[in-house]
Amino acid sequence: MSLIDERQDFSDVADVFLLHGSMQSPAFLDGRLCALLALRDVSAEHWLDEVCQSLGVEQPRDSASAERLLAWRRQTLDALSASDLDYAPLLPDELFSLGEQAQGLKDWTLGFIEVVDEVADNDMRERWSQTLSEAIADLEGFSQIETDIDNSPENENDLFALSEHARMAAMLLYTEQHPGMPQVEQTDAPVH
C-alpha cells in the first residue's frame, strides 16, 4: 500500500518533520494548508516548497517524505471538497495531553488566520455570509486559548467544542469559496 493510500495523521506528519530535524508542530502548517486550499487552491509544488521552507530545507529528504507531504495536501483537499463533510484539522490526538492538544489547536488557528489575513481582501470578505464572518472572527480569538490545562472531562469537552468550531469554520470557508463543491445540498438526490 502506498503512503498516498493511507490516511495521514498528526504523528505521521510530525515524524516527517522530525526526520528533517524540525521539532515544530504540523498543526500551524495544516491551518495554513486548509486556508490556502480554500482561498487559493495551492498547487502540490507550492505546498512542498512552503513545507520545505518552514522546515529549513531545500527539498524533502527522500521520496517517501515527499510522498507523505503531498498525501497530506491531497487528503486535506479531498476532505474539504467531499460531500460527507469529514474534514478534520490535523491536530494532536488522544495520545497527547490536553495541553498539547490545546496548543495544537492554537497553532492550527494561527496558521489558518495568517493565510486568511494575507489572502482575503475586503472585497472577498464582503461576499462572505454572516455565519462565515462570525466563525472567522471567533477563530481569531482562539489565539488566546489557554494551553496549560488539566486533563479533566470539562476541559476535554471544551477543547472538543473549540476543535469542532475550527473544523466547521474551515469547511464553511471552503464551501463558500467553492460553490457547489461539495454538493452538500444534492447528497440525497437520486442518481440518474
Side-chain angles (χ1 to χ4, degrees):
M1 176 182 275
S2 156
L3 290 175
I4 292 182
D5 297 331
E6 295 175 19
R7 180 141 178 92
Q8 309 299 302
D9 66 17
F10 181 86
S11 294
D12 294 331
V13 178
D15 287 347
V16 173
F17 282 26
L18 283 173
L19 184 64
H20 289 82
S22 175
M23 296 289 291
Q24 68 179 301
S25 165
F28 178 81
L29 281 178
D30 190 67
R32 283 191 57 83
L33 172 62
C34 178
L36 284 167
L37 289 170
L39 296 169
R40 276 198 183 149
D41 194 25
V42 64
S43 70
E45 182 179 308
H46 179 121
W47 178 241
L48 270 184
D49 288 346
E50 177 156 340
V51 174
C52 288
Q53 183 177 12
S54 178
L55 296 177
V57 297
E58 288 187 28
Q59 62 187 28
R61 172 178 225 152
D62 51 40
S63 61
S65 295
E67 191 174 336
R68 189 166 297 278
L69 295 171
L70 290 173
W72 173 21
R73 178 193 166 276
R74 168 59 45 207
Q75 171 182 299
T76 303
L77 180 58
D78 289 350
L80 285 169
S81 61
S83 61
D84 57 4
L85 301 177
D86 71 345
Y87 169 75
L90 193 73
L91 300 172
D93 59 22
E94 64 278 351
L95 298 175
F96 296 83
S97 72
L98 279 184
E100 290 169 319
Q101 292 176 46
Q103 185 63 52
L105 179 58
K106 185 176 185 175
D107 292 344
W108 183 92
T109 303
L110 291 170
F112 185 86
I113 293 299
E114 182 176 273
V115 170
V116 169
D117 288 346
E118 288 171 5
V119 176
D121 59 21
N122 287 337
D123 290 341
M124 181 183 290
R125 287 176 186 255
E126 287 174 8
R127 293 190 300 270
W128 289 354
S129 69
Q130 181 177 350
T131 304
L132 175 58
S133 295
E134 290 171 358
I136 297 296
D138 289 345
L139 283 183
E140 291 170 348
F142 282 25
S143 65
Q144 304 303 314
I145 290 175
E146 181 59 51
T147 59
D148 185 18
I149 57 176
D150 297 330
N151 285 332
S152 71
E154 297 82 20
N155 286 338
E156 188 174 351
N157 289 338
D158 290 347
L159 187 58
F160 176 80
L162 292 173
S163 297
E164 186 63 13
H165 186 84
R167 185 180 86 81
M168 296 305 290
M171 288 189 305
L172 191 56
L173 179 62
Y174 186 86
T175 55
E176 284 198 18
Q177 295 300 126
H178 300 85
M181 293 178 59
Q183 296 179 354
V184 178
E185 63 280 354
Q186 298 176 10
T187 55
D188 295 327
V191 178
H192 300 292

